[in-house]
Amino acid sequence: MGEKGFILNYISKHLSRDVLLDDAYYVRVASGDYLVLKVDGFSLRSAKYPWMDYYDVGWKVVTSVVSDLVAKYATPKYVLVSIGLNRGRSVSEAEDLISGVSDACRYYGASLVGGDTNASRGDEWVDAVALGTSPNPIPIHAKDPGDYVVVVGEYGVTGLAYELYVRGVKELPSKVIEVTKRPKVRVELLNVFTKFRDCICVSTDVSDGLAEALHRLSTMNEVGITIDKLRIPNDVEVVIKDLGLDPIDVALRGGEEFEVIFTTKTECLDELINELRRLNIPFTIGVLRRDMHKVVVSGREVPYVGWDNYLGYTTIKTK
């Protein structure tokens, strides 16, 4: 069944409302703003590449929850972490993990306010909870999802990292090491959302693969998406081709990019593009199509594939 099928068909029965397909949960509080909450985590065995250390893992778990908050137009405020380490783990490695958490919180302007520690007898793990505030969260679904889709970021680096890892390649491009060791959320998007919130209709983060995020947005809003070309760094594209792989396929399957996809109305597009360029935020523009319910990139229909914590890279199934 896989992770998402299990969530939708079983966990959903125990929730008070349908919040499963959005990136984070948000509720209005007395001040009029919204409190936005997100939890995420992973086993160290699945999340830690050989070239990463425990500091990197701590940094990444905070980035993973902040990414969802930013996609909802929420400013991160507080973070809690829960860790489960083997009894034989050294104190220095455990401290490195917490240092990575702490430094990432500081980078994103959030406070580390506590958590929990556990002894693991098997696979080690780390979870993070983030709380943020938003004046007007951007949902993943809207009655009018807009006219254009903005895919923020460049793609292919994390997909290439995975391909190099499974092939046992030791000499890695510097960009692969940099992006996987210190992934960073584009918090400057919060300024864009503030300026153009009336124009932006829906938003979601990209963490389980670009194809998965595009399909999720398409399915939730019952629209098709057409994108002419993805932004793939030239040096990354060269290495992907040298491996005998298709750069577009690697870019779409990826995962852990921690980027954002959002949609906008036609009348705002030109000014929004100028703002993204002013902030040096890379992006690709696609079109929302109401005459079809599929995702098309570079002229090819994209299957609903992505990362599943139970099945690995696979076709996403919800039933």
Side-chain angles (χ1 to χ4, degrees):
M1 175 178 292
E3 175 189 7
K4 289 179 174 59
F6 178 66
I7 292 172
L8 288 172
N9 292 291
Y10 292 94
I11 293 180
S12 62
K13 298 177 182 179
H14 303 278
L15 296 184
S16 59
R17 54 175 291 190
D18 183 17
V19 298
L20 287 166
L21 288 179
D22 214 333
D23 300 275
Y25 175 76
Y26 43 90
V27 58
R28 201 162 196 169
V29 292
S31 66
D33 282 348
Y34 288 80
L35 179 66
V36 185
L37 304 95
K38 176 65 180 181
V39 61
D40 201 357
F42 36 68
S43 70
L44 270 61
R45 182 172 58 182
S46 65
K48 182 177 176 294
Y49 281 122
W51 57 85
M52 296 171 60
D53 56 28
Y54 283 84
Y55 180 98
D56 301 330
V57 173
W59 179 283
K60 185 166 77 167
V61 75
V62 174
T63 292
S64 70
V65 286
V66 169
S67 176
D68 290 295
L69 263 58
V70 169
K72 296 297 95 184
Y73 181 32
T75 301
K77 297 292 187 180
Y78 304 104
V79 172
L80 299 94
V81 294
S82 177
I83 61 174
L85 300 179
N86 293 336
R87 295 176 186 272
R89 181 64 51 205
S90 71
V91 173
S92 63
E93 288 173 320
E95 186 178 22
D96 284 346
L97 192 153
I98 297 303
S99 293
V101 168
S102 177
D103 286 352
C105 288
R106 192 174 299 109
Y107 177 81
Y108 294 120
S111 297
L112 177 60
V113 294
D116 190 27
T117 56
N118 299 270
S120 172
R121 295 183 179 179
D123 204 353
E124 298 175 303
W125 48 266
V126 57
D127 295 323
V129 175
L131 293 86
T133 57
S134 174
N136 186 10
I138 307 172
I140 194 173
H141 166 73
K143 291 183 179 179
D144 179 6
D147 306 292
Y148 292 92
V149 60
V150 181
V151 180
V152 175
E154 296 181 315
Y155 292 83
V157 179
T158 61
L160 174 59
Y162 178 79
E163 296 295 341
L164 294 174
Y165 167 67
V166 298
R167 286 164 171 75
V169 176
K170 303 299 182 183
E171 295 185 10
L172 304 173
S174 59
K175 184 169 290 187
V176 167
I177 296 175
E178 175 188 352
V179 169
T180 53
K181 283 175 70 70
R182 298 287 191 281
K184 295 182 176 68
V185 179
R186 299 183 193 276
V187 290
E188 60 268 33
L189 280 172
L190 294 174
N191 296 325
V192 177
F193 293 159
T194 296
K195 189 172 183 179
F196 294 94
R197 180 61 186 92
D198 290 342
C199 305
I200 295 171
C201 305
V202 300
S203 175
T204 187
D205 98 313
V206 183
S207 54
D208 291 329
L210 179 57
E212 187 275 341
L214 289 169
H215 268 283
R216 183 154 37 91
L217 192 150
S218 169
T219 301
M220 289 291 293
N221 294 281
E222 298 182 336
V223 294
I225 297 174
T226 300
I227 299 171
D228 290 336
K229 188 177 180 180
L230 296 178
R231 289 186 67 116
I232 303 174
N234 292 333
D235 52 344
V236 171
E237 186 170 4
V238 168
V239 178
I240 293 173
K241 289 180 177 178
D242 287 344
L243 293 175
L245 300 172
D246 179 3
I248 295 177
D249 182 60
V250 172
L252 285 166
R253 295 171 72 88
E256 295 189 342
E257 291 91 350
F258 305 120
E259 297 284 7
V260 176
I261 301 173
F262 63 91
T263 66
T264 182
K265 300 173 184 177
T266 301
E267 58 266 28
C268 309
L269 184 63
D270 289 342
E271 287 188 34
L272 197 153
I273 286 174
N274 289 335
E275 183 69 7
L276 291 172
R277 287 173 175 163
R278 187 184 70 81
L279 295 173
N280 293 317
I281 299 175
F283 64 91
T284 300
I285 301 296
V287 179
L288 296 188
R289 299 277 301 275
R290 289 165 176 79
D291 60 339
M292 67 178 196
H293 291 167
K294 57 186 178 181
V295 175
V296 177
V297 176
S298 297
R300 69 176 78 170
E301 184 173 350
V302 176
Y304 197 166
V305 296
W307 178 259
D308 186 289
N309 284 316
Y310 296 150
L311 304 175
Y313 284 111
T314 184
T315 300
I316 301 296
K317 297 179 180 179
T318 57
K319 294 183 179 179

